[in-house]
Amino acid sequence: MNVRTSRLQLAVVSTFLFAGAAQADWVVSPNVEAVRPAPEHLQTTPQNPPSFTWSRHNANPPGYVLEISKDGAVAYTYTTDRNWFLPTAAFPAGTYSWRVRPSTTSEWSTARFFNINAASKTFQVPDNATLRNNVVNKVRPRQLPAGFLTANNWPSDLSAERGASLNSLKNEINWNIGNMAPVSDSLWPLVKGSATTSALNAQAADIRTKINKVARQVEASSLLYRLTLDVKYLNEAKKRGDEIAALNPNGPTSYANQDQGNRAIAMALAKSADLLYRELESTRRAKWNSVIDARGTAMFNSLSGNNGYTDQYPLDSHAGTNLGYLSLLATLAVGDIPNASKWFDYATRAYINTVYAWSGPEGGYGNGTAYGGYTAGFAVDLWQPLSAATGVNLFAKPWSDGFMKFFAHFVPPGSPSNMFGDEAEVAPYWATLKGFASRFKTPEAAWYAVSIRGNEDAVTLLQAPYPMPYRQASTIVPPPRGALYPSIGWVAMHSMMEDTAGRTSLYFKSSPYGAYNHSHGDQNSIVLNSGGRKLLTDTGYMDYYGSPLWNDWYRTTKAHNAITYDGGIGQPTNGNTINLTRNGKITAFSHTPALDFAEGNATPAYGGALTSAVRKVWYLRAQNAAVVADKLVSSVARKWEWNLHAAAPIVKGANNSVSITNIDRSVCVRPLVGASTLSYQTRTGPAPKPGTVEVHGAYVHPARTTGEFVMLLDIGCKNPAVRMTETSTSRSFVIGTQIITVPK
């Protein structure tokens, strides 16, 4: 999705409204899409040195002065012409404060304190000049790791690890040599404004599919030549490279018309020009470089336009990825294409500094694991060659390690689908996730990579460092069974991480991102899987962004295991920017070997319709059961609805309970409070994705200004004994051998 236009309009409005008026703390923009100040007050920074960001001053000064103090004295002073700064050297441990002012005034921001301690991991990035020098001095191919060997020189263990992938890639490329249809501009006649949205979407998807395929052929053929020195791969790389170089940079594959196609063309040519640096004739190299220059300049002009809008407004999915593409384009082309130095200085440290803006410093991805998986794929494609060329290992960045753990927690091996947001219904991209995890040396990454069967994509594996980083981990250990990612508002609760076949996984979301971008109106919702089966699931599917199905069902609260009222009314999802204010937040979390607990407050998500919407979730690990308690308050009487959705029939049982059995896994749901006042009702939804089953229902509370649900999720339908004792302020439940207390 491209949200650039709405952000620029808001920026203009904000500038007009606040021009000439000093804000109380100007580093916090009134525009909710603007970058937030970091490090946050009293934060212990996971990275040393930390990254400093702030919203721009409304006077739009030419630069800023950043002051960092320790023990009451100024320790460091920096100047920068952008609204972020990444020091090049680590700080000594201690407590610091930071503040910033425009270079033209003495209007200091409010001081914010942060801590550096032993847990803060050193991650240092040289300045632009040093980075560029590192790149220019790197022997071509720049993108390949040190010690890269042709296949006939592989030692036996390397052959055992990658031999099958080499043969698989040969077979793929050999078949394509004789069978892949050529691409040309004539395949795509539509231009924006001349066709329906659905037709343009279809053409954009076709461009993406066909260009990605031929771009892969170019890169893979170049790589196979480097590995085998077989001239047929050299000839194929040249032929297909010429084919995409002939596409008009201002035509249907232009940055303005299809930014993904534009970047794929430029990147394939840049990578292949690097891999075949000694083999390309001067005229061919000049042609390819001219195309890289034109397409890269279009990217640079967009990303740096409006005074570098991406620094101020990082929540643009395409722009964030395009910044990475521009960074690698510049890295591969610097010294050969004059404009590449300008791209490099603008994009490379900025990309390494920010990477992706969809979570705070702990890692994660607020847009959901499906789009996070796409991003992990981009990361391997971009970070691996960027790290080899610059000497800065992006996989060693603390945020990156958190991003890897995020996948281990929310798409652990054996998961039947992705989690939350657009395309959550799609099966995980196991090859991509294995490839991403394989680049880390941590015990958790080693566990995740080893636990995922099969191999990553051959093109990235055959360019990977040897030995693979995950094989160098000191031990193999899964991440904790319970985890909170606070900046995205996601909680994972697992029975046993190691038990792929039998694991129960309960997920809870109450996100500050609300229904923004690829997220849904599902704050305070849950998802339950067990033994690789879906039990309580999100429903609907992604046909295309902005479709009637996407708007009217897929993103709505009633399509999720969450609270609605008065016949399916839930959290508003219309608009986009405003959805950042219709949000949720995890307000409590605890994890012990026996019990996990989380509390979410989704009141703002209901757009003012409710005065309170709080859900508490307990996972009783010893009982393999969960309790979900909701308290709802409104100024007017409403019928409250506790929605549940399954991938198998929902069967009504005794005591107002229902059961769901998905092949060999089951859950029984029953009210623990007010069972006689609740009615279970079936619900209907649109036709599910072909080949899938979706069943919908809801427990309905009579119309009142307050509503309460306390529901037991009995995984495996064991029917444990439940005893309740009640006081004026709480209820205590003994469930099997465990006790929980639910406040009234």
Side-chain angles (χ1 to χ4, degrees):
M1 177 206 175
N2 190 328
V3 294
R4 184 176 301 117
T5 301
S6 66
R7 277 215 289 273
L8 295 181
Q9 289 170 343
L10 280 168
V12 171
V13 171
S14 296
T15 300
F16 174 76
L17 290 176
F18 289 88
Q23 300 171 43
D25 189 13
W26 59 265
V27 296
V28 182
S29 171
N31 187 331
V32 294
E33 289 183 296
V35 68
R36 303 287 100 178
E40 296 177 356
H41 186 51
L42 300 181
Q43 177 188 357
T44 296
T45 63
Q47 177 178 300
N48 183 16
S51 167
F52 297 88
T53 62
W54 56 91
S55 289
R56 288 175 176 160
H57 192 276
N58 58 56
N60 198 24
Y64 297 92
V65 177
L66 172 66
E67 183 182 274
I68 301 167
S69 297
K70 185 175 187 287
D71 299 327
V74 175
Y76 308 97
T77 300
Y78 304 103
T79 59
T80 176
D81 59 358
R82 299 172 76 168
N83 59 315
W84 61 270
F85 188 80
L86 179 62
T88 58
F91 295 168
T95 298
Y96 295 81
S97 68
W98 73 275
R99 62 178 188 165
V100 65
R101 66 170 175 85
S103 59
T104 52
T105 76
S106 59
E107 192 177 351
W108 288 104
S109 66
T110 300
R112 288 167 170 79
F113 287 80
F114 65 94
N115 297 306
I116 301 269
N117 61 21
S120 304
K121 185 177 179 181
T122 299
F123 179 75
Q124 299 179 137
V125 183
D127 59 41
N128 275 332
T130 303
L131 273 181
R132 261 188 285 106
N133 190 57
N134 291 347
V135 170
V136 171
N137 289 333
K138 177 80 159 53
V139 175
R140 298 265 189 185
R142 292 172 178 170
Q143 65 193 282
L144 295 179
F148 179 85
L149 299 170
T150 54
N152 64 334
N153 289 314
W154 283 357
S156 58
D157 52 349
L158 181 55
S159 293
E161 179 183 84
R162 305 184 188 181
S165 293
L166 176 60
N167 290 330
S168 173
L169 189 61
K170 286 180 180 178
N171 291 336
E172 174 193 339
I173 301 310
N174 289 341
W175 190 92
N176 286 342
I177 287 174
N179 295 282
M180 179 184 284
V183 294
S184 67
D185 290 325
S186 62
L187 292 172
W188 305 297
L190 303 180
V191 295
K192 291 183 178 180
S194 68
T196 64
T197 299
S198 59
L200 286 169
N201 283 339
Q203 177 173 285
D206 190 57
I207 290 173
R208 180 172 58 246
T209 299
K210 287 184 169 67
I211 292 299
N212 282 345
K213 187 174 182 181
V214 70
R216 176 181 174 85
Q217 185 76 357
V218 175
E219 180 184 353
S221 297
S222 303
L223 175 62
L224 285 175
Y225 176 73
R226 217 38 319 122
L227 284 163
T228 67
L229 302 180
D230 188 333
V231 72
K232 75 176 178 181
Y233 297 122
L234 173 62
N235 292 336
E236 175 68 1
K238 291 178 178 179
K239 173 187 172 182
R240 298 294 182 176
D242 290 345
E243 188 178 301
I244 58 174
L247 296 171
N248 184 359
N250 298 310
T253 63
S254 67
Y255 186 84
N257 281 293
Q258 226 295 359
D259 65 315
Q260 294 164 313
N262 178 83
R263 72 194 187 197
I265 293 166
M267 188 57 67
L269 293 174
K271 284 187 172 182
S272 294
D274 181 54
L275 288 166
L276 305 177
Y277 197 76
R278 294 180 296 275
E279 288 79 14
L280 287 186
E281 305 86 349
S282 59
T283 53
R284 177 172 275 117
R285 176 177 298 282
K287 171 60 178 176
W288 287 17
N289 280 347
S290 71
V291 173
I292 296 167
D293 192 10
R295 293 185 180 275
T297 295
M299 295 172 66
F300 171 77
N301 288 343
S302 174
L303 295 170
S304 64
N306 194 42
N307 195 26
Y309 85 96
T310 52
D311 288 350
Q312 178 74 347
Y313 300 108
L315 297 179
D316 185 323
S317 300
H318 285 216
T321 302
N322 289 338
L323 186 69
Y325 271 80
L326 183 62
S327 173
L328 183 54
L329 280 180
T331 298
L332 296 178
V334 70
D336 286 356
I337 298 175
N339 281 326
S341 293
K342 178 172 58 177
W343 307 343
F344 187 94
D345 288 354
Y346 179 79
T348 304
R349 288 190 95 249
Y351 179 67
I352 294 171
N353 178 58
T354 304
V355 184
Y356 299 110
W358 295 101
S359 81
E362 83 276 11
Y365 207 77
N367 265 340
T369 64
Y371 279 80
Y374 294 143
T375 299
F378 294 139
V380 177
D381 285 341
L382 299 175
W383 297 3
Q384 182 165 275
L386 195 60
S387 298
T390 64
V392 177
N393 183 7
L394 276 82
F395 297 98
K397 185 178 173 73
W399 182 92
S400 307
D401 182 56
F403 189 39
M404 187 284 302
K405 291 175 183 174
F406 163 77
F407 289 115
H409 276 125
F410 291 97
V411 276
S415 297
S417 64
N418 274 289
M419 188 55 51
F420 297 128
D422 283 350
E423 298 192 29
E425 72 280 0
V426 175
Y429 322 109
W430 293 118
T432 296
L433 298 179
K434 183 182 183 78
F436 185 67
S438 297
R439 270 64 180 179
F440 296 84
K441 294 182 181 180
T442 65
E444 296 89 351
W447 172 81
Y448 196 48
V450 167
S451 300
I452 297 174
R453 297 179 180 177
N455 288 321
E456 67 172 278
D457 183 82
V459 172
T460 54
L461 178 60
L462 293 171
Q463 298 179 76
Y466 173 76
M468 291 290 279
Y470 80 99
R471 296 189 182 277
Q472 302 173 61
S474 58
T475 185
I476 299 176
V477 178
R481 292 177 286 180
L484 164 66
Y485 290 74
S487 67
I488 63 171
W490 289 30
V491 173
M493 306 175 181
H494 300 282
S495 57
M496 285 285 289
M497 294 298 295
E498 304 92 329
D499 187 6
T500 302
R503 181 196 311 112
T504 290
S505 300
L506 178 62
Y507 303 106
F508 179 41
K509 173 188 175 186
S510 196
S511 176
Y513 288 91
Y516 184 79
N517 201 248
H518 290 293
S519 296
H520 291 188
D522 57 354
Q523 314 325 312
N524 277 10
S525 70
I526 58 171
V527 170
L528 176 66
N529 298 329
S530 188
R533 310 291 186 195
K534 297 180 180 181
L535 293 178
L536 295 176
T537 184
D538 294 334
T539 60
Y541 64 98
M542 178 84 160
D543 50 354
Y544 64 88
Y545 191 92
S547 75
L549 174 65
W550 185 84
N551 275 308
D552 299 338
W553 176 263
Y554 187 51
R555 303 179 72 221
T556 66
T557 312
K558 64 186 176 183
H560 301 81
N561 301 299
I563 297 295
T564 58
Y565 59 88
D566 294 345
I569 302 173
Q571 301 161 20
T573 58
N574 59 302
N576 190 51
T577 303
I578 193 174
N579 287 327
L580 285 170
T581 68
R582 301 166 176 160
N583 56 27
K585 183 178 182 180
I586 299 297
T587 51
F589 172 75
S590 63
H591 166 65
T592 69
L595 178 72
D596 289 346
F597 168 73
E599 176 185 272
N601 186 341
T603 306
Y606 288 88
L610 308 184
T611 56
S612 182
V614 175
R615 170 169 280 187
K616 302 174 190 288
V617 179
W618 293 261
Y619 177 58
L620 291 71
R621 194 165 280 110
Q623 310 303 314
N624 198 22
V627 173
V628 181
D630 290 277
K631 293 195 72 174
L632 300 314
V633 182
S634 171
S635 59
V636 298
R638 302 188 185 281
K639 281 189 176 181
W640 306 100
E641 298 143 358
W642 200 91
N643 294 277
L644 65 161
H645 306 272
I650 302 176
V651 179
K652 190 76 165 62
N655 301 318
N656 208 15
S657 67
V658 297
S659 64
I660 300 163
T661 301
N662 188 356
I663 304 178
D664 56 354
R665 297 288 163 165
S666 63
V667 63
C668 289
V669 181
R670 58 168 157 147
L672 296 181
V673 173
S676 61
T677 65
L678 302 180
S679 61
Y680 177 77
Q681 301 175 9
T682 60
R683 293 285 193 263
T684 59
K689 192 173 186 177
T692 65
V693 174
E694 292 180 355
V695 183
H696 319 282
Y699 281 94
V700 181
H701 188 291
R704 294 176 187 166
T705 56
T706 61
E708 182 182 31
F709 298 91
V710 182
M711 313 296 288
L712 173 66
L713 309 183
D714 172 18
I715 299 136
C717 294
K718 305 176 296 297
N719 193 29
V722 179
R723 291 182 288 112
M724 180 183 78
T725 58
E726 189 169 10
T727 70
S728 60
T729 59
S730 66
R731 302 182 185 94
S732 292
F733 295 92
V734 180
I735 301 171
T737 60
Q738 290 189 263
I739 302 173
I740 64 168
T741 299
V742 181
K744 286 187 174 179

